[in-house]
Amino acid sequence: MFSNTLLTFAFLLTVLPVAFFEETCKRTFKVDYDKRTFLKDSKPFRYVSGSLHYTRVPPELWKDRLTKMKYAGLDAIQTYVPWNLHEPSPGLYHFEGNADLELFLQTAADVGLLVLLRPGPYICAEWDFGGFPSWLIQQNASTVLRTSDPRFMKPAVRWLSFLYEKLKKYTYCNGGPIIMVQIENEYGSYGVCDKVYMKNLVKIAKSVLGESIVLYTTDGNVAQDLKCGTYPGVFATVDFGTGQNVSQAFQPLDQMQKGPRVNSEFYVGWLDYWGSPHAKVSTAAIIKSLKNLLDYGASVNMYMFEGGTSFAYWNGADPPFKVCPTSYDYDAPLSEAGDMTSKFEAIRKLLGKYKQLSPMNPVPKNSTKLNIGPVKMTKIASITDTKHIVLAKSVYPISQEDLSQSMGFTLYRTNLSERFYQAILNVSGIRDRGYISVNGLYQGTVDRNENTFLNISGGKDQVLDILVENQGRINFGSQITQNRKGLISNVTLNNRILKNWEISRVDPLLVNAVNKSQCAKGPTVFEGVFKSPRELGDMFAYFPNWTKGQLFVNGYNLGRYWPKKGPQISLYIPSAILLSPGYHNTIRILELEEVDCIQKGHNIYLKNVPDIDGPTSL
Ligand SMILES: *[C@@H]1O[C@H](CO)[C@@H](O)[C@H](O)[C@H]1NC(C)=O
Ligand SMILES: *[C@@H]1O[C@H](CO)[C@@H](O)[C@H](O)[C@H]1NC(C)=O
Ligand SMILES: *[C@@H]1O[C@H](CO)[C@@H](O)[C@H](O)[C@H]1NC(C)=O
Ligand SMILES: *[C@@H]1O[C@H](CO)[C@@H](O)[C@H](O)[C@H]1NC(C)=O
Ligand SMILES: *[C@@H]1O[C@H](CO)[C@@H](O)[C@H](O)[C@H]1NC(C)=O
Ligand SMILES: *[C@@H]1O[C@H](CO)[C@@H](O)[C@H](O)[C@H]1NC(C)=O
Ligand SMILES: *[C@@H]1O[C@H](CO)[C@@H](O)[C@H](O)[C@H]1NC(C)=O
Ligand SMILES: *[C@@H]1O[C@H](CO)[C@@H](O)[C@H](O)[C@H]1NC(C)=O
Ligand SMILES: *[C@@H]1O[C@H](CO)[C@@H](O)[C@H](O)[C@H]1NC(C)=O
């Protein structure tokens, strides 16, 4: 595929230490291909597992969620490792807070769960850019992701070497919980069949984690996907949902591999998009298919067992550009807030027929929920009024990636050179949604999915502001390479290119109060407080009469709200981020469009029940 393949090889040979020494394992986990079973400490074994992404649950709640998964009767959990969270800029690693992967693995081990690790480097996961750091496409828009293109392979190998060195003490062989490590992720459906890339990924995993580590691949259960997604010597698994005839569903896999059968993503729920109805998978269908899988002797991972939340700006999008909302509840057996739903109870009951469920004392329970009621929000400033962090001054716009401003909001500002009335502002390069004002007067929005031009009016030397919202990068398919954000082409006003931009990062948390006037249109920061009650608990924020924006509580970025779009109406506020009883919690909201405040003041509401199944509008 690439002429530089040889170069890549030469690079790998010089960089990688090769594990020629004999490994000594404390414990063993193997695949017995002939007997179609796993062997755990030499005994036949099959697993029932569930997916939980540690980055989507506050670390304080990992133990709660994992304990509930153990209680459900699971043997193992499966998690992705998002490269972009852990390596925010080249060679700079982040493993704290919700990125503390070692703590997560240790907690899983403490609870008695095995781990199926999916380090990618590509993870899909409805996570920004499928887990890729946006610096991969900085300057080099032509880099071919998920191939042996050295501009991709070199940083990927560096990252995986670092990660595997850190995690090797957690392999089953070394006494830890990790029984299997996935190579790539549904690579067969990517459409690029670079076996050199696969070979490199296998090599780096084995050279650091040891020859004994069980590596696996996961692909759709069709021959075409299995052709490109699998690799000799790497254990192949498939994924499929409810309603399939199990023996038929495994047939394409059986044709290429004798061995235990594994469904690595048995869909017990499904993902949502803004503007599309909340997805659901029926419990009856799950129980029927899960029973068939278990009777067939298969191992299974339920995707997702607990979906959690794509906090802050971490949600992804599917092509052409369908954006996933903040909630990743996924209609999973454990809800976004970790509640044990009727789906959870039904699965636990079924698993109890196949194995001895571990008794638990105390029995896990749903979290406490708080019903605080209305919180009055006060306008503190228009976001464009206040101090920004200037990233660049440039004749023409620069993309967010080239500014090393991976996520969030970027302000593009220029001066108008003359007076304009109802002039056509053409922002065809908007990625993804822009909020436009002239001298602080809100003009409207442009959106890559809706309209990319807008009539504006303004005078000579007045300031034109385009606040650009990156709504999350595409995480799936070949369009993953076209993922630049901000303004990616010139902006014209009545067909004339606008020049001389000042480009800044804006942070709603850095805004100081400048204007106490209550009503506002356009991007505006509001603040409110509420007192922590005697017993802390989870809650859900509602935004009636608000339009679209971002919620922060005590400095934690809890994600995007957009109740007018649906289906997600409320945002999850986990108890873990609240201050101690009696203290005042601070809420900050960046409302991007408008809040109808004439009627009843602009309150938000903190309630004890979620609503992620509201009406939608496209
Ligand atoms: C971009 O690609 C070119 C050519 O392969 C390379 O010389 C350059 O270092 C790359 N830049 C970055 C930022 O990776
Ligand atoms: C599933 O397919 C197999 C093979 O085609 C068939 O023998 C079996 O009856 C089917 N099972 C069900 C439940 O339809
Ligand atoms: C736990 O929460 C779920 C989802 O809200 C609910 O269906 C279930 O009844 C709750 N369980 C208990 C014991 O309250
Ligand atoms: C706009 O004009 C003002 C006044 O001349 C100047 O201070 C400012 O830097 C200009 N802004 C941009 C983005 O060029
Ligand atoms: C935009 O301005 C043009 C003239 O520049 C006018 O023809 C058109 O009606 C305006 N559109 C709107 C929606 O105001
Ligand atoms: C905006 O610019 C793009 C790219 O130059 C062009 O294709 C499109 O027709 C323009 N739209 C309007 C309304 O001028
Ligand atoms: C903007 O236009 C200039 C002049 O035509 C061109 O050189 C430049 O590449 C364009 N920039 C973008 C981001 O399209
Ligand atoms: C405050 O905002 C109002 C309207 O939103 C505006 O008329 C007024 O000029 C602003 N005051 C200051 C000091 O910015
Ligand atoms: C929302 O606005 C409507 C009218 O615009 C008003 O009747 C209603 O009370 C408001 N709701 C809340 C919860 O503030």
Side-chain angles (χ1 to χ4, degrees):
M1 171 105 224
F2 288 93
S3 54
N4 37 39
T5 295
L6 281 177
L7 198 93
T8 309
F9 259 124
F11 161 74
L12 284 171
L13 287 177
T14 53
V15 168
L16 302 183
V18 184
F20 283 131
F21 55 89
E22 195 65 40
E23 262 185 300
T24 46
C25 284
K26 291 187 183 140
R27 316 186 289 181
T28 60
F29 186 83
K30 291 182 178 152
V31 184
D32 185 335
Y33 285 91
D34 288 336
K35 298 215 172 82
R36 289 194 181 281
T37 185
F38 294 107
L39 291 174
K40 184 169 160 279
D41 301 315
S42 308
K43 288 195 214 63
F45 177 75
R46 70 107 166 258
Y47 60 79
V48 177
S49 165
S51 284
L52 164 68
H53 303 152
Y54 54 98
T55 55
R56 285 181 155 131
V57 171
E60 296 85 348
L61 300 172
W62 286 345
K63 186 159 186 216
D64 172 75
R65 306 304 195 256
L66 290 165
T67 303
K68 285 167 176 165
M69 291 171 86
K70 179 75 183 175
Y71 178 66
L74 304 188
D75 309 295
I77 54 139
Q78 180 176 270
T79 190
Y80 281 127
V81 181
W83 181 7
N84 53 3
L85 177 74
H86 291 294
E87 194 178 355
S89 55
L92 191 89
Y93 298 106
H94 168 61
F95 279 90
E96 265 143 48
N98 76 336
D100 192 347
L101 178 52
E102 289 193 65
L103 175 64
F104 180 75
L105 293 172
Q106 192 53 57
T107 310
D110 293 348
V111 165
L113 289 163
L114 299 166
V115 173
L116 303 151
L117 194 77
R118 309 173 102 185
Y122 166 74
I123 63 166
C124 192
E126 289 73 62
W127 187 262
D128 181 71
F129 207 179
F132 287 143
S134 66
W135 49 258
L136 283 173
I137 49 171
Q138 191 175 54
Q139 310 300 339
N140 278 322
S142 64
T143 299
V144 192
L145 304 168
R146 307 177 71 186
T147 69
S148 53
D149 178 345
R151 292 170 300 182
F152 176 76
M153 195 79 246
K154 200 173 158 178
V157 167
R158 183 185 62 202
W159 156 240
L160 290 174
S161 318
F162 182 87
L163 179 71
Y164 290 152
E165 284 294 344
K166 203 174 179 63
L167 299 189
K168 71 180 169 194
K169 59 176 173 286
Y170 297 95
T171 64
Y172 196 73
C173 164
N174 290 329
I178 300 172
I179 51 171
M180 308 206 326
V181 174
Q182 186 182 282
I183 295 297
E184 246 281 347
N185 187 65
E186 296 183 334
Y187 190 57
S189 61
Y190 183 48
V192 179
C193 218
D194 186 348
K195 292 284 178 185
V196 174
Y197 166 57
M198 291 293 275
K199 183 182 184 133
N200 290 345
L201 295 183
V202 171
K203 186 168 175 168
I204 180 77
K206 287 207 166 168
S207 69
V208 183
L209 298 176
E211 286 292 323
S212 73
I213 188 75
V214 174
L215 301 179
Y216 74 110
T217 57
T218 302
D219 283 285
N221 61 335
V222 292
Q224 178 59 33
D225 287 6
L226 288 165
K227 192 167 149 249
C228 286
T230 58
Y231 193 79
V234 176
F235 178 64
T237 75
V238 289
D239 47 23
F240 55 88
T242 58
Q244 295 210 32
N245 175 314
V246 168
S247 66
Q248 279 171 21
F250 278 118
Q251 221 151 62
L253 179 65
D254 286 348
Q255 269 158 20
M256 58 156 297
Q257 173 182 278
K258 190 175 182 208
R261 289 149 177 136
V262 179
N263 183 348
S264 284
E265 290 192 7
F266 171 59
Y267 303 108
V268 294
W270 196 248
L271 55 116
D272 281 345
Y273 303 111
W274 287 120
S276 301
H278 176 50
K280 289 170 204 154
V281 175
S282 95
T283 299
I286 291 165
I287 295 306
K288 189 164 171 234
S289 290
L290 184 56
K291 184 175 184 310
N292 289 341
L293 279 165
L294 297 175
D295 289 342
Y296 199 61
S299 287
V300 58
N301 174 72
M302 288 173 255
Y303 191 97
M304 297 293 300
F305 202 83
E306 144 100 46
T309 313
S310 301
F311 290 115
Y313 307 117
W314 287 111
N315 68 276
D318 274 332
F321 194 61
K322 295 192 290 180
V323 182
C324 297
T326 302
S327 173
Y328 199 64
D329 177 273
Y330 217 84
D331 195 29
L334 285 173
S335 76
E336 184 175 6
D339 282 349
M340 296 175 285
T341 66
S342 53
K343 190 179 277 184
F344 175 99
E345 298 298 348
I347 290 170
R348 182 170 188 271
K349 194 170 147 206
L350 178 69
L351 295 182
K353 292 180 184 156
Y354 290 82
K355 63 184 291 198
Q356 179 87 43
L357 297 176
S358 5
M360 266 192 200
N361 189 13
V363 168
K365 54 183 206 311
N366 288 350
S367 64
T368 303
K369 306 291 187 307
L370 303 179
N371 199 0
I372 301 273
V375 178
K376 185 170 156 45
M377 301 301 296
T378 306
K379 175 182 168 180
I380 60 167
S382 155
I383 191 131
T384 49
D385 280 351
T386 50
K387 223 170 73 186
H388 326 298
I389 300 125
V390 178
L391 301 168
K393 291 193 183 200
S394 166
V395 178
Y396 303 114
I398 303 174
S399 74
Q400 277 195 205
E401 290 70 22
D402 287 350
L403 295 161
S404 299
Q405 150 82 346
S406 185
M407 314 200 114
F409 295 89
T410 309
L411 178 65
Y412 292 79
R413 169 172 284 182
T414 188
N415 290 333
L416 296 178
S417 59
E418 54 187 290
R419 182 174 171 275
F420 289 96
Y421 178 70
Q422 297 269 295
I424 297 175
L425 183 75
N426 186 340
V427 201
S428 56
I430 182 76
R431 296 288 183 280
D432 301 297
R433 192 173 167 90
Y435 306 88
I436 295 168
S437 51
V438 175
N439 255 23
L441 194 67
Y442 186 55
Q443 310 277 311
T445 65
V446 288
D447 185 305
R448 68 187 279 188
N449 277 340
E450 297 166 13
N451 60 306
T452 56
F453 56 92
L454 188 75
N455 277 4
I456 64 164
S457 300
K460 182 169 168 21
D461 294 333
Q462 290 196 343
V463 178
L464 169 70
D465 280 332
I466 307 178
L467 180 70
V468 181
E469 178 189 9
N470 163 357
Q471 292 184 294
R473 291 186 183 80
I474 292 170
N475 54 256
F476 181 74
S478 56
Q479 289 184 49
I480 196 160
T481 50
Q482 282 126 51
N483 250 326
R484 297 183 149 230
K485 297 294 186 180
L487 293 180
I488 64 159
S489 64
N490 282 312
V491 178
T492 62
L493 188 58
N494 279 351
N495 297 318
R496 292 234 303 273
I497 292 177
L498 293 177
K499 293 184 186 169
N500 302 322
W501 296 87
E502 182 188 270
I503 311 169
S504 316
R505 181 163 85 81
V506 297
D507 184 341
L509 294 177
L510 298 181
V511 164
N512 295 316
V514 293
N515 194 328
K516 297 282 181 194
S517 149
Q518 286 303 299
C519 290
K521 271 197 174 186
T524 306
V525 179
F526 292 82
E527 197 168 273
V529 292
F530 68 95
K531 198 165 137 181
S532 282
R534 199 168 309 147
E535 190 188 357
L536 298 185
D538 291 336
M539 40 195 187
F540 305 92
Y542 285 75
F543 308 83
N545 296 337
W546 297 69
T547 308
K548 182 181 196 320
Q550 201 81 27
L551 172 71
F552 301 81
V553 176
N554 296 331
Y556 289 89
N557 186 340
L558 296 181
R560 312 170 205 259
Y561 65 87
W562 201 358
K564 297 212 161 140
K565 193 64 119 179
Q568 181 171 9
I569 305 299
S570 63
L571 284 190
Y572 174 49
I573 304 181
S575 60
I577 66 160
L578 299 187
L579 301 181
S580 309
Y583 284 84
H584 285 90
N585 301 281
T586 305
I587 302 181
R588 269 214 178 186
I589 288 176
L590 169 61
E591 167 58 49
L592 294 160
E593 295 178 35
E594 62 180 303
V595 47
D596 177 355
C597 54
I598 295 152
Q599 302 287 333
K600 283 198 168 171
H602 25 244
N603 292 332
I604 68 160
Y605 293 79
L606 302 179
K607 300 188 189 175
N608 55 2
V609 286
D611 182 2
I612 53 166
D613 193 8
T616 55
S617 70
L618 264 176

